[in-house]
Amino acid sequence: MKNLMINKSTLPNIIIIIFVFWSSCNCFLAQNYQITYEVKFKPVKESDSFIKENMVLKIANDQSIFYNLNKNKIDSLASKYNFKAISSINSSLLRIKVFKNFSKDYNTVGGNFNQFNYWYKEKKIKYYNLKKYGKYKDYAASEAFTDFGKRKWYLIYTNDIPINDGPYIFSGLPGLIIKAESLDGDYTFELIEIKKLEEKYLLAENKENIKKKN
């Protein structure tokens, strides 16, 4: 019974430690972040060649949006009719966007095809075989698996960064996803940069305009 009792003289120190830890976590989560991932993928499944493009995960409050950095620049310049500047930017093959609201049980996935912008709802995915991995990119990491889009995926995440999000459709693990790869080798998402955004962002969810086919 004595072993379970806390010395009164140490209680204030324990309270301070808990308060500092709680405050630092909440301070981290309250910030806006931009996380850049390098995406390596096969444009044609039967091909041996890969293409690399950078995509961005922008987190604001309890929401995030994942999009192609070059595609976003092109759209912004097109809205300003700055076609000369557009010609200097490489066109993007990955034109998908994923909007996540952490309080909802689905993500909103979108893209464009022949000038048509489409959006549909995708249920949040579940993970299995979660276990410790070791060090990865100087982070204490864990690993997990999931099934999505008729593929099996392997993920590495870290709770050193208490953001329960990641690239593409992936979110909900206890920490930031720093790598996600399909086991068939066709797609790999890997973190290359994380930075805090000073300005505040409001992310607007796009309304569903098509139904996903099962």
Side-chain angles (χ1 to χ4, degrees), residues 96-101 104-110 118-125 147-150 168-171 205 208 210-214:
I96 196 166
K97 286 185 177 181
V98 180
F99 179 90
K100 301 168 190 169
N101 185 321
K104 296 182 179 179
D105 62 355
Y106 63 86
N107 300 316
T108 308
V109 180
Y118 62 87
W119 292 93
Y120 63 89
K121 291 180 180 178
E122 185 76 66
K123 287 185 178 181
K124 291 186 177 178
I125 55 182
D147 301 321
F148 176 75
K150 297 181 180 180
Y168 190 32
I169 201 74
F170 307 113
S171 66
E205 180 176 1
E208 177 185 21
I210 65 170
K211 298 289 184 181
K212 180 187 175 184
K213 294 182 180 180
N214 295 326

PDB file of all heavy atoms in Angstrom, residues 96-101 104-110 118-125 147-150 168-171 205 208 210-214:
ATOM      1  N   ILE A  96      -5.440  14.349 -58.091  1.00  0.00           N
ATOM      2  CA  ILE A  96      -6.407  14.025 -57.052  1.00  0.00           C
ATOM      3  C   ILE A  96      -6.269  14.966 -55.855  1.00  0.00           C
ATOM      4  O   ILE A  96      -5.190  15.479 -55.584  1.00  0.00           O
ATOM      5  CB  ILE A  96      -6.239  12.558 -56.600  1.00  0.00           C
ATOM      6  CG1 ILE A  96      -7.460  12.087 -55.827  1.00  0.00           C
ATOM      7  CG2 ILE A  96      -4.954  12.363 -55.787  1.00  0.00           C
ATOM      8  CD1 ILE A  96      -7.507  10.586 -55.640  1.00  0.00           C
ATOM      9  N   LYS A  97      -7.392  15.201 -55.177  1.00  0.00           N
ATOM     10  CA  LYS A  97      -7.397  15.935 -53.920  1.00  0.00           C
ATOM     11  C   LYS A  97      -8.154  15.111 -52.886  1.00  0.00           C
ATOM     12  O   LYS A  97      -9.107  14.406 -53.233  1.00  0.00           O
ATOM     13  CB  LYS A  97      -8.096  17.293 -54.066  1.00  0.00           C
ATOM     14  CG  LYS A  97      -7.304  18.348 -54.821  1.00  0.00           C
ATOM     15  CD  LYS A  97      -8.030  19.689 -54.791  1.00  0.00           C
ATOM     16  CE  LYS A  97      -7.217  20.770 -55.483  1.00  0.00           C
ATOM     17  NZ  LYS A  97      -7.910  22.085 -55.435  1.00  0.00           N
ATOM     18  N   VAL A  98      -7.722  15.199 -51.637  1.00  0.00           N
ATOM     19  CA  VAL A  98      -8.423  14.510 -50.555  1.00  0.00           C
ATOM     20  C   VAL A  98      -8.646  15.500 -49.427  1.00  0.00           C
ATOM     21  O   VAL A  98      -7.686  16.058 -48.884  1.00  0.00           O
ATOM     22  CB  VAL A  98      -7.634  13.291 -50.032  1.00  0.00           C
ATOM     23  CG1 VAL A  98      -8.409  12.600 -48.909  1.00  0.00           C
ATOM     24  CG2 VAL A  98      -7.344  12.308 -51.155  1.00  0.00           C
ATOM     25  N   PHE A  99      -9.903  15.719 -49.092  1.00  0.00           N
ATOM     26  CA  PHE A  99     -10.262  16.600 -47.986  1.00  0.00           C
ATOM     27  C   PHE A  99     -10.658  15.732 -46.793  1.00  0.00           C
ATOM     28  O   PHE A  99     -11.459  14.805 -46.928  1.00  0.00           O
ATOM     29  CB  PHE A  99     -11.438  17.504 -48.372  1.00  0.00           C
ATOM     30  CG  PHE A  99     -11.878  18.420 -47.265  1.00  0.00           C
ATOM     31  CD1 PHE A  99     -11.325  19.687 -47.133  1.00  0.00           C
ATOM     32  CD2 PHE A  99     -12.831  18.020 -46.346  1.00  0.00           C
ATOM     33  CE1 PHE A  99     -11.722  20.534 -46.107  1.00  0.00           C
ATOM     34  CE2 PHE A  99     -13.232  18.856 -45.319  1.00  0.00           C
ATOM     35  CZ  PHE A  99     -12.671  20.115 -45.199  1.00  0.00           C
ATOM     36  N   LYS A 100     -10.079  16.041 -45.619  1.00  0.00           N
ATOM     37  CA  LYS A 100     -10.376  15.266 -44.413  1.00  0.00           C
ATOM     38  C   LYS A 100     -10.883  16.191 -43.321  1.00  0.00           C
ATOM     39  O   LYS A 100     -10.300  17.244 -43.064  1.00  0.00           O
ATOM     40  CB  LYS A 100      -9.125  14.537 -43.913  1.00  0.00           C
ATOM     41  CG  LYS A 100      -8.506  13.580 -44.920  1.00  0.00           C
ATOM     42  CD  LYS A 100      -7.125  13.134 -44.475  1.00  0.00           C
ATOM     43  CE  LYS A 100      -6.399  12.376 -45.575  1.00  0.00           C
ATOM     44  NZ  LYS A 100      -4.975  12.173 -45.268  1.00  0.00           N
ATOM     45  N   ASN A 101     -11.961  15.771 -42.706  1.00  0.00           N
ATOM     46  CA  ASN A 101     -12.464  16.420 -41.495  1.00  0.00           C
ATOM     47  C   ASN A 101     -12.347  15.371 -40.397  1.00  0.00           C
ATOM     48  O   ASN A 101     -13.025  14.350 -40.427  1.00  0.00           O
ATOM     49  CB  ASN A 101     -13.913  16.868 -41.677  1.00  0.00           C
ATOM     50  CG  ASN A 101     -14.430  17.660 -40.492  1.00  0.00           C
ATOM     51  OD1 ASN A 101     -14.132  17.349 -39.345  1.00  0.00           O
ATOM     52  ND2 ASN A 101     -15.227  18.693 -40.762  1.00  0.00           N
ATOM     53  N   LYS A 104     -15.355  13.581 -38.739  1.00  0.00           N
ATOM     54  CA  LYS A 104     -16.309  12.806 -39.529  1.00  0.00           C
ATOM     55  C   LYS A 104     -15.750  11.412 -39.828  1.00  0.00           C
ATOM     56  O   LYS A 104     -14.543  11.188 -39.746  1.00  0.00           O
ATOM     57  CB  LYS A 104     -16.641  13.542 -40.830  1.00  0.00           C
ATOM     58  CG  LYS A 104     -17.353  14.877 -40.599  1.00  0.00           C
ATOM     59  CD  LYS A 104     -17.713  15.549 -41.903  1.00  0.00           C
ATOM     60  CE  LYS A 104     -18.449  16.864 -41.641  1.00  0.00           C
ATOM     61  NZ  LYS A 104     -18.792  17.564 -42.907  1.00  0.00           N
ATOM     62  N   ASP A 105     -16.640  10.506 -40.197  1.00  0.00           N
ATOM     63  CA  ASP A 105     -16.219   9.123 -40.438  1.00  0.00           C
ATOM     64  C   ASP A 105     -15.943   8.849 -41.910  1.00  0.00           C
ATOM     65  O   ASP A 105     -15.901   7.704 -42.341  1.00  0.00           O
ATOM     66  CB  ASP A 105     -17.273   8.151 -39.907  1.00  0.00           C
ATOM     67  CG  ASP A 105     -18.621   8.296 -40.607  1.00  0.00           C
ATOM     68  OD1 ASP A 105     -18.768   9.225 -41.446  1.00  0.00           O
ATOM     69  OD2 ASP A 105     -19.520   7.480 -40.319  1.00  0.00           O
ATOM     70  N   TYR A 106     -15.761   9.911 -42.698  1.00  0.00           N
ATOM     71  CA  TYR A 106     -15.451   9.738 -44.106  1.00  0.00           C
ATOM     72  C   TYR A 106     -14.505  10.856 -44.562  1.00  0.00           C
ATOM     73  O   TYR A 106     -14.351  11.888 -43.900  1.00  0.00           O
ATOM     74  CB  TYR A 106     -16.722   9.770 -44.966  1.00  0.00           C
ATOM     75  CG  TYR A 106     -17.456  11.099 -44.923  1.00  0.00           C
ATOM     76  CD1 TYR A 106     -17.106  12.141 -45.793  1.00  0.00           C
ATOM     77  CD2 TYR A 106     -18.473  11.325 -44.016  1.00  0.00           C
ATOM     78  CE1 TYR A 106     -17.754  13.363 -45.745  1.00  0.00           C
ATOM     79  CE2 TYR A 106     -19.133  12.538 -43.964  1.00  0.00           C
ATOM     80  CZ  TYR A 106     -18.776  13.557 -44.834  1.00  0.00           C
ATOM     81  OH  TYR A 106     -19.413  14.769 -44.779  1.00  0.00           O
ATOM     82  N   ASN A 107     -13.847  10.629 -45.692  1.00  0.00           N
ATOM     83  CA  ASN A 107     -13.048  11.648 -46.359  1.00  0.00           C
ATOM     84  C   ASN A 107     -13.744  12.018 -47.661  1.00  0.00           C
ATOM     85  O   ASN A 107     -14.508  11.228 -48.214  1.00  0.00           O
ATOM     86  CB  ASN A 107     -11.643  11.135 -46.668  1.00  0.00           C
ATOM     87  CG  ASN A 107     -10.893  10.741 -45.403  1.00  0.00           C
ATOM     88  OD1 ASN A 107     -10.927  11.455 -44.406  1.00  0.00           O
ATOM     89  ND2 ASN A 107     -10.207   9.607 -45.440  1.00  0.00           N
ATOM     90  N   THR A 108     -13.474  13.218 -48.172  1.00  0.00           N
ATOM     91  CA  THR A 108     -14.017  13.638 -49.455  1.00  0.00           C
ATOM     92  C   THR A 108     -12.891  13.634 -50.470  1.00  0.00           C
ATOM     93  O   THR A 108     -11.897  14.339 -50.305  1.00  0.00           O
ATOM     94  CB  THR A 108     -14.643  15.045 -49.368  1.00  0.00           C
ATOM     95  OG1 THR A 108     -15.571  15.083 -48.289  1.00  0.00           O
ATOM     96  CG2 THR A 108     -15.370  15.388 -50.655  1.00  0.00           C
ATOM     97  N   VAL A 109     -13.043  12.808 -51.509  1.00  0.00           N
ATOM     98  CA  VAL A 109     -11.994  12.627 -52.511  1.00  0.00           C
ATOM     99  C   VAL A 109     -12.447  13.271 -53.813  1.00  0.00           C
ATOM    100  O   VAL A 109     -13.605  13.154 -54.221  1.00  0.00           O
ATOM    101  CB  VAL A 109     -11.711  11.127 -52.732  1.00  0.00           C
ATOM    102  CG1 VAL A 109     -10.608  10.931 -53.774  1.00  0.00           C
ATOM    103  CG2 VAL A 109     -11.328  10.462 -51.414  1.00  0.00           C
ATOM    104  N   GLY A 110     -11.516  13.980 -54.473  1.00  0.00           N
ATOM    105  CA  GLY A 110     -11.881  14.650 -55.714  1.00  0.00           C
ATOM    106  C   GLY A 110     -10.755  14.676 -56.718  1.00  0.00           C
ATOM    107  O   GLY A 110      -9.624  14.265 -56.446  1.00  0.00           O
ATOM    108  N   TYR A 118     -14.835  16.504 -59.922  1.00  0.00           N
ATOM    109  CA  TYR A 118     -15.720  15.548 -59.261  1.00  0.00           C
ATOM    110  C   TYR A 118     -15.298  15.344 -57.811  1.00  0.00           C
ATOM    111  O   TYR A 118     -14.126  15.463 -57.454  1.00  0.00           O
ATOM    112  CB  TYR A 118     -15.721  14.201 -59.999  1.00  0.00           C
ATOM    113  CG  TYR A 118     -14.377  13.518 -60.045  1.00  0.00           C
ATOM    114  CD1 TYR A 118     -13.958  12.671 -59.009  1.00  0.00           C
ATOM    115  CD2 TYR A 118     -13.510  13.705 -61.116  1.00  0.00           C
ATOM    116  CE1 TYR A 118     -12.734  12.035 -59.037  1.00  0.00           C
ATOM    117  CE2 TYR A 118     -12.267  13.073 -61.158  1.00  0.00           C
ATOM    118  CZ  TYR A 118     -11.890  12.249 -60.114  1.00  0.00           C
ATOM    119  OH  TYR A 118     -10.657  11.642 -60.148  1.00  0.00           O
ATOM    120  N   TRP A 119     -16.289  15.024 -56.963  1.00  0.00           N
ATOM    121  CA  TRP A 119     -16.050  14.763 -55.536  1.00  0.00           C
ATOM    122  C   TRP A 119     -16.949  13.628 -55.087  1.00  0.00           C
ATOM    123  O   TRP A 119     -18.118  13.548 -55.488  1.00  0.00           O
ATOM    124  CB  TRP A 119     -16.356  16.015 -54.699  1.00  0.00           C
ATOM    125  CG  TRP A 119     -15.395  17.130 -54.946  1.00  0.00           C
ATOM    126  CD1 TRP A 119     -15.530  18.157 -55.845  1.00  0.00           C
ATOM    127  CD2 TRP A 119     -14.143  17.332 -54.307  1.00  0.00           C
ATOM    128  NE1 TRP A 119     -14.446  18.974 -55.809  1.00  0.00           N
ATOM    129  CE2 TRP A 119     -13.570  18.502 -54.878  1.00  0.00           C
ATOM    130  CE3 TRP A 119     -13.440  16.653 -53.319  1.00  0.00           C
ATOM    131  CZ2 TRP A 119     -12.338  18.997 -54.475  1.00  0.00           C
ATOM    132  CZ3 TRP A 119     -12.209  17.147 -52.921  1.00  0.00           C
ATOM    133  CH2 TRP A 119     -11.669  18.299 -53.496  1.00  0.00           C
ATOM    134  N   TYR A 120     -16.400  12.731 -54.276  1.00  0.00           N
ATOM    135  CA  TYR A 120     -17.206  11.653 -53.715  1.00  0.00           C
ATOM    136  C   TYR A 120     -16.700  11.339 -52.307  1.00  0.00           C
ATOM    137  O   TYR A 120     -15.589  11.712 -51.925  1.00  0.00           O
ATOM    138  CB  TYR A 120     -17.156  10.396 -54.594  1.00  0.00           C
ATOM    139  CG  TYR A 120     -15.793   9.776 -54.729  1.00  0.00           C
ATOM    140  CD1 TYR A 120     -15.343   8.806 -53.825  1.00  0.00           C
ATOM    141  CD2 TYR A 120     -14.943  10.142 -55.768  1.00  0.00           C
ATOM    142  CE1 TYR A 120     -14.091   8.233 -53.946  1.00  0.00           C
ATOM    143  CE2 TYR A 120     -13.686   9.573 -55.899  1.00  0.00           C
ATOM    144  CZ  TYR A 120     -13.264   8.627 -54.989  1.00  0.00           C
ATOM    145  OH  TYR A 120     -12.026   8.067 -55.112  1.00  0.00           O
ATOM    146  N   LYS A 121     -17.543  10.667 -51.541  1.00  0.00           N
ATOM    147  CA  LYS A 121     -17.195  10.323 -50.162  1.00  0.00           C
ATOM    148  C   LYS A 121     -16.548   8.949 -50.098  1.00  0.00           C
ATOM    149  O   LYS A 121     -16.955   8.030 -50.796  1.00  0.00           O
ATOM    150  CB  LYS A 121     -18.450  10.356 -49.281  1.00  0.00           C
ATOM    151  CG  LYS A 121     -19.017  11.753 -49.079  1.00  0.00           C
ATOM    152  CD  LYS A 121     -20.258  11.733 -48.199  1.00  0.00           C
ATOM    153  CE  LYS A 121     -20.817  13.135 -48.007  1.00  0.00           C
ATOM    154  NZ  LYS A 121     -22.059  13.130 -47.192  1.00  0.00           N
ATOM    155  N   GLU A 122     -15.533   8.862 -49.247  1.00  0.00           N
ATOM    156  CA  GLU A 122     -14.815   7.605 -49.059  1.00  0.00           C
ATOM    157  C   GLU A 122     -14.732   7.329 -47.561  1.00  0.00           C
ATOM    158  O   GLU A 122     -14.275   8.172 -46.792  1.00  0.00           O
ATOM    159  CB  GLU A 122     -13.407   7.722 -49.640  1.00  0.00           C
ATOM    160  CG  GLU A 122     -12.611   6.451 -49.623  1.00  0.00           C
ATOM    161  CD  GLU A 122     -13.036   5.466 -50.696  1.00  0.00           C
ATOM    162  OE1 GLU A 122     -12.865   5.750 -51.893  1.00  0.00           O
ATOM    163  OE2 GLU A 122     -13.546   4.389 -50.310  1.00  0.00           O
ATOM    164  N   LYS A 123     -15.221   6.168 -47.134  1.00  0.00           N
ATOM    165  CA  LYS A 123     -15.157   5.835 -45.710  1.00  0.00           C
ATOM    166  C   LYS A 123     -13.716   5.757 -45.236  1.00  0.00           C
ATOM    167  O   LYS A 123     -12.827   5.322 -45.969  1.00  0.00           O
ATOM    168  CB  LYS A 123     -15.856   4.492 -45.449  1.00  0.00           C
ATOM    169  CG  LYS A 123     -17.367   4.557 -45.540  1.00  0.00           C
ATOM    170  CD  LYS A 123     -17.975   3.221 -45.138  1.00  0.00           C
ATOM    171  CE  LYS A 123     -19.498   3.288 -45.182  1.00  0.00           C
ATOM    172  NZ  LYS A 123     -20.106   1.991 -44.778  1.00  0.00           N
ATOM    173  N   LYS A 124     -13.494   6.196 -44.006  1.00  0.00           N
ATOM    174  CA  LYS A 124     -12.147   6.120 -43.451  1.00  0.00           C
ATOM    175  C   LYS A 124     -11.742   4.661 -43.289  1.00  0.00           C
ATOM    176  O   LYS A 124     -12.554   3.811 -42.931  1.00  0.00           O
ATOM    177  CB  LYS A 124     -12.084   6.867 -42.116  1.00  0.00           C
ATOM    178  CG  LYS A 124     -12.222   8.378 -42.298  1.00  0.00           C
ATOM    179  CD  LYS A 124     -12.025   9.141 -41.007  1.00  0.00           C
ATOM    180  CE  LYS A 124     -12.099  10.637 -41.268  1.00  0.00           C
ATOM    181  NZ  LYS A 124     -11.957  11.440 -40.045  1.00  0.00           N
ATOM    182  N   ILE A 125     -10.487   4.393 -43.557  1.00  0.00           N
ATOM    183  CA  ILE A 125     -10.033   3.011 -43.592  1.00  0.00           C
ATOM    184  C   ILE A 125      -9.555   2.537 -42.225  1.00  0.00           C
ATOM    185  O   ILE A 125      -9.261   3.330 -41.339  1.00  0.00           O
ATOM    186  CB  ILE A 125      -8.921   2.837 -44.645  1.00  0.00           C
ATOM    187  CG1 ILE A 125      -7.781   3.819 -44.373  1.00  0.00           C
ATOM    188  CG2 ILE A 125      -9.458   3.049 -46.036  1.00  0.00           C
ATOM    189  CD1 ILE A 125      -6.682   3.736 -45.398  1.00  0.00           C
ATOM    190  N   ASP A 147      -5.872  -2.217 -46.268  1.00  0.00           N
ATOM    191  CA  ASP A 147      -6.314  -2.561 -47.616  1.00  0.00           C
ATOM    192  C   ASP A 147      -7.144  -1.399 -48.149  1.00  0.00           C
ATOM    193  O   ASP A 147      -8.087  -0.944 -47.491  1.00  0.00           O
ATOM    194  CB  ASP A 147      -7.172  -3.837 -47.602  1.00  0.00           C
ATOM    195  CG  ASP A 147      -6.413  -5.023 -47.038  1.00  0.00           C
ATOM    196  OD1 ASP A 147      -5.213  -5.149 -47.334  1.00  0.00           O
ATOM    197  OD2 ASP A 147      -7.025  -5.822 -46.306  1.00  0.00           O
ATOM    198  N   PHE A 148      -6.775  -0.925 -49.321  1.00  0.00           N
ATOM    199  CA  PHE A 148      -7.541   0.168 -49.940  1.00  0.00           C
ATOM    200  C   PHE A 148      -7.295   0.179 -51.439  1.00  0.00           C
ATOM    201  O   PHE A 148      -6.179  -0.033 -51.908  1.00  0.00           O
ATOM    202  CB  PHE A 148      -7.141   1.525 -49.346  1.00  0.00           C
ATOM    203  CG  PHE A 148      -7.840   2.678 -50.014  1.00  0.00           C
ATOM    204  CD1 PHE A 148      -9.179   2.924 -49.748  1.00  0.00           C
ATOM    205  CD2 PHE A 148      -7.173   3.475 -50.938  1.00  0.00           C
ATOM    206  CE1 PHE A 148      -9.845   3.957 -50.385  1.00  0.00           C
ATOM    207  CE2 PHE A 148      -7.831   4.507 -51.577  1.00  0.00           C
ATOM    208  CZ  PHE A 148      -9.164   4.752 -51.302  1.00  0.00           C
ATOM    209  N   GLY A 149      -8.370   0.464 -52.193  1.00  0.00           N
ATOM    210  CA  GLY A 149      -8.257   0.580 -53.640  1.00  0.00           C
ATOM    211  C   GLY A 149      -7.752  -0.679 -54.314  1.00  0.00           C
ATOM    212  O   GLY A 149      -6.949  -0.624 -55.256  1.00  0.00           O
ATOM    213  N   LYS A 150      -8.187  -1.841 -53.812  1.00  0.00           N
ATOM    214  CA  LYS A 150      -7.785  -3.141 -54.348  1.00  0.00           C
ATOM    215  C   LYS A 150      -6.281  -3.374 -54.230  1.00  0.00           C
ATOM    216  O   LYS A 150      -5.692  -4.134 -55.001  1.00  0.00           O
ATOM    217  CB  LYS A 150      -8.230  -3.287 -55.813  1.00  0.00           C
ATOM    218  CG  LYS A 150      -9.741  -3.250 -55.993  1.00  0.00           C
ATOM    219  CD  LYS A 150     -10.139  -3.421 -57.441  1.00  0.00           C
ATOM    220  CE  LYS A 150     -11.650  -3.370 -57.609  1.00  0.00           C
ATOM    221  NZ  LYS A 150     -12.051  -3.530 -59.034  1.00  0.00           N
ATOM    222  N   TYR A 168      -2.523  11.172 -48.986  1.00  0.00           N
ATOM    223  CA  TYR A 168      -3.596  10.518 -49.718  1.00  0.00           C
ATOM    224  C   TYR A 168      -4.795  10.282 -48.792  1.00  0.00           C
ATOM    225  O   TYR A 168      -5.212  11.177 -48.068  1.00  0.00           O
ATOM    226  CB  TYR A 168      -3.061   9.224 -50.338  1.00  0.00           C
ATOM    227  CG  TYR A 168      -3.961   8.526 -51.325  1.00  0.00           C
ATOM    228  CD1 TYR A 168      -4.824   9.233 -52.140  1.00  0.00           C
ATOM    229  CD2 TYR A 168      -3.936   7.137 -51.455  1.00  0.00           C
ATOM    230  CE1 TYR A 168      -5.649   8.591 -53.052  1.00  0.00           C
ATOM    231  CE2 TYR A 168      -4.736   6.474 -52.385  1.00  0.00           C
ATOM    232  CZ  TYR A 168      -5.595   7.205 -53.165  1.00  0.00           C
ATOM    233  OH  TYR A 168      -6.396   6.552 -54.065  1.00  0.00           O
ATOM    234  N   ILE A 169      -5.334   9.087 -48.786  1.00  0.00           N
ATOM    235  CA  ILE A 169      -6.524   8.764 -48.016  1.00  0.00           C
ATOM    236  C   ILE A 169      -6.199   8.361 -46.586  1.00  0.00           C
ATOM    237  O   ILE A 169      -7.077   8.179 -45.747  1.00  0.00           O
ATOM    238  CB  ILE A 169      -7.292   7.615 -48.734  1.00  0.00           C
ATOM    239  CG1 ILE A 169      -8.768   7.556 -48.313  1.00  0.00           C
ATOM    240  CG2 ILE A 169      -6.592   6.280 -48.530  1.00  0.00           C
ATOM    241  CD1 ILE A 169      -9.593   8.650 -48.911  1.00  0.00           C
ATOM    242  N   PHE A 170      -4.920   8.230 -46.284  1.00  0.00           N
ATOM    243  CA  PHE A 170      -4.498   7.622 -45.025  1.00  0.00           C
ATOM    244  C   PHE A 170      -4.510   8.637 -43.872  1.00  0.00           C
ATOM    245  O   PHE A 170      -3.902   9.698 -43.949  1.00  0.00           O
ATOM    246  CB  PHE A 170      -3.107   7.013 -45.171  1.00  0.00           C
ATOM    247  CG  PHE A 170      -2.998   6.070 -46.336  1.00  0.00           C
ATOM    248  CD1 PHE A 170      -2.198   6.377 -47.425  1.00  0.00           C
ATOM    249  CD2 PHE A 170      -3.721   4.893 -46.360  1.00  0.00           C
ATOM    250  CE1 PHE A 170      -2.102   5.514 -48.506  1.00  0.00           C
ATOM    251  CE2 PHE A 170      -3.651   4.020 -47.438  1.00  0.00           C
ATOM    252  CZ  PHE A 170      -2.839   4.333 -48.515  1.00  0.00           C
ATOM    253  N   SER A 171      -5.185   8.268 -42.804  1.00  0.00           N
ATOM    254  CA  SER A 171      -5.235   9.068 -41.576  1.00  0.00           C
ATOM    255  C   SER A 171      -5.793   8.174 -40.468  1.00  0.00           C
ATOM    256  O   SER A 171      -6.301   7.094 -40.732  1.00  0.00           O
ATOM    257  CB  SER A 171      -6.111  10.310 -41.753  1.00  0.00           C
ATOM    258  OG  SER A 171      -7.470   9.947 -41.952  1.00  0.00           O
ATOM    259  N   GLU A 205     -14.885  22.384 -47.322  1.00  0.00           N
ATOM    260  CA  GLU A 205     -15.138  21.047 -47.872  1.00  0.00           C
ATOM    261  C   GLU A 205     -15.971  21.152 -49.136  1.00  0.00           C
ATOM    262  O   GLU A 205     -16.967  21.877 -49.193  1.00  0.00           O
ATOM    263  CB  GLU A 205     -15.875  20.187 -46.847  1.00  0.00           C
ATOM    264  CG  GLU A 205     -16.165  18.780 -47.346  1.00  0.00           C
ATOM    265  CD  GLU A 205     -16.814  17.912 -46.283  1.00  0.00           C
ATOM    266  OE1 GLU A 205     -17.058  18.420 -45.169  1.00  0.00           O
ATOM    267  OE2 GLU A 205     -17.085  16.734 -46.574  1.00  0.00           O
ATOM    268  N   GLU A 208     -20.129  16.602 -52.318  1.00  0.00           N
ATOM    269  CA  GLU A 208     -20.162  15.405 -53.156  1.00  0.00           C
ATOM    270  C   GLU A 208     -21.049  15.654 -54.374  1.00  0.00           C
ATOM    271  O   GLU A 208     -22.167  16.154 -54.252  1.00  0.00           O
ATOM    272  CB  GLU A 208     -20.708  14.241 -52.330  1.00  0.00           C
ATOM    273  CG  GLU A 208     -20.874  12.949 -53.085  1.00  0.00           C
ATOM    274  CD  GLU A 208     -21.540  11.887 -52.229  1.00  0.00           C
ATOM    275  OE1 GLU A 208     -22.203  12.238 -51.242  1.00  0.00           O
ATOM    276  OE2 GLU A 208     -21.406  10.686 -52.565  1.00  0.00           O
ATOM    277  N   ILE A 210     -20.778  13.176 -57.213  1.00  0.00           N
ATOM    278  CA  ILE A 210     -20.949  11.869 -57.854  1.00  0.00           C
ATOM    279  C   ILE A 210     -20.976  10.803 -56.764  1.00  0.00           C
ATOM    280  O   ILE A 210     -20.530  11.030 -55.645  1.00  0.00           O
ATOM    281  CB  ILE A 210     -19.842  11.552 -58.873  1.00  0.00           C
ATOM    282  CG1 ILE A 210     -18.484  11.414 -58.169  1.00  0.00           C
ATOM    283  CG2 ILE A 210     -19.787  12.583 -59.984  1.00  0.00           C
ATOM    284  CD1 ILE A 210     -17.394  10.864 -59.075  1.00  0.00           C
ATOM    285  N   LYS A 211     -21.500   9.656 -57.102  1.00  0.00           N
ATOM    286  CA  LYS A 211     -21.510   8.522 -56.191  1.00  0.00           C
ATOM    287  C   LYS A 211     -20.422   7.541 -56.597  1.00  0.00           C
ATOM    288  O   LYS A 211     -20.265   7.242 -57.786  1.00  0.00           O
ATOM    289  CB  LYS A 211     -22.874   7.815 -56.199  1.00  0.00           C
ATOM    290  CG  LYS A 211     -24.032   8.690 -55.725  1.00  0.00           C
ATOM    291  CD  LYS A 211     -23.951   8.934 -54.228  1.00  0.00           C
ATOM    292  CE  LYS A 211     -25.157   9.713 -53.743  1.00  0.00           C
ATOM    293  NZ  LYS A 211     -25.090   9.987 -52.290  1.00  0.00           N
ATOM    294  N   LYS A 212     -19.680   7.087 -55.612  1.00  0.00           N
ATOM    295  CA  LYS A 212     -18.620   6.119 -55.916  1.00  0.00           C
ATOM    296  C   LYS A 212     -19.245   4.772 -56.271  1.00  0.00           C
ATOM    297  O   LYS A 212     -20.157   4.293 -55.600  1.00  0.00           O
ATOM    298  CB  LYS A 212     -17.689   5.965 -54.704  1.00  0.00           C
ATOM    299  CG  LYS A 212     -16.560   4.974 -54.950  1.00  0.00           C
ATOM    300  CD  LYS A 212     -15.761   4.708 -53.690  1.00  0.00           C
ATOM    301  CE  LYS A 212     -14.729   3.630 -53.937  1.00  0.00           C
ATOM    302  NZ  LYS A 212     -13.993   3.255 -52.719  1.00  0.00           N
ATOM    303  N   LYS A 213     -18.709   4.158 -57.315  1.00  0.00           N
ATOM    304  CA  LYS A 213     -19.171   2.817 -57.691  1.00  0.00           C
ATOM    305  C   LYS A 213     -18.437   1.784 -56.870  1.00  0.00           C
ATOM    306  O   LYS A 213     -17.213   1.853 -56.723  1.00  0.00           O
ATOM    307  CB  LYS A 213     -18.909   2.570 -59.193  1.00  0.00           C
ATOM    308  CG  LYS A 213     -19.729   3.454 -60.106  1.00  0.00           C
ATOM    309  CD  LYS A 213     -19.456   3.128 -61.557  1.00  0.00           C
ATOM    310  CE  LYS A 213     -20.281   4.011 -62.487  1.00  0.00           C
ATOM    311  NZ  LYS A 213     -20.018   3.699 -63.915  1.00  0.00           N
ATOM    312  N   ASN A 214     -19.153   0.834 -56.305  1.00  0.00           N
ATOM    313  CA  ASN A 214     -18.528  -0.223 -55.519  1.00  0.00           C
ATOM    314  C   ASN A 214     -17.844  -1.247 -56.406  1.00  0.00           C
ATOM    315  O   ASN A 214     -18.234  -1.476 -57.517  1.00  0.00           O
ATOM    316  CB  ASN A 214     -19.583  -0.907 -54.645  1.00  0.00           C
ATOM    317  CG  ASN A 214     -20.163   0.051 -53.609  1.00  0.00           C
ATOM    318  OD1 ASN A 214     -19.460   0.917 -53.108  1.00  0.00           O
ATOM    319  ND2 ASN A 214     -21.447  -0.126 -53.321  1.00  0.00           N
TER     320      ASN A 214
END
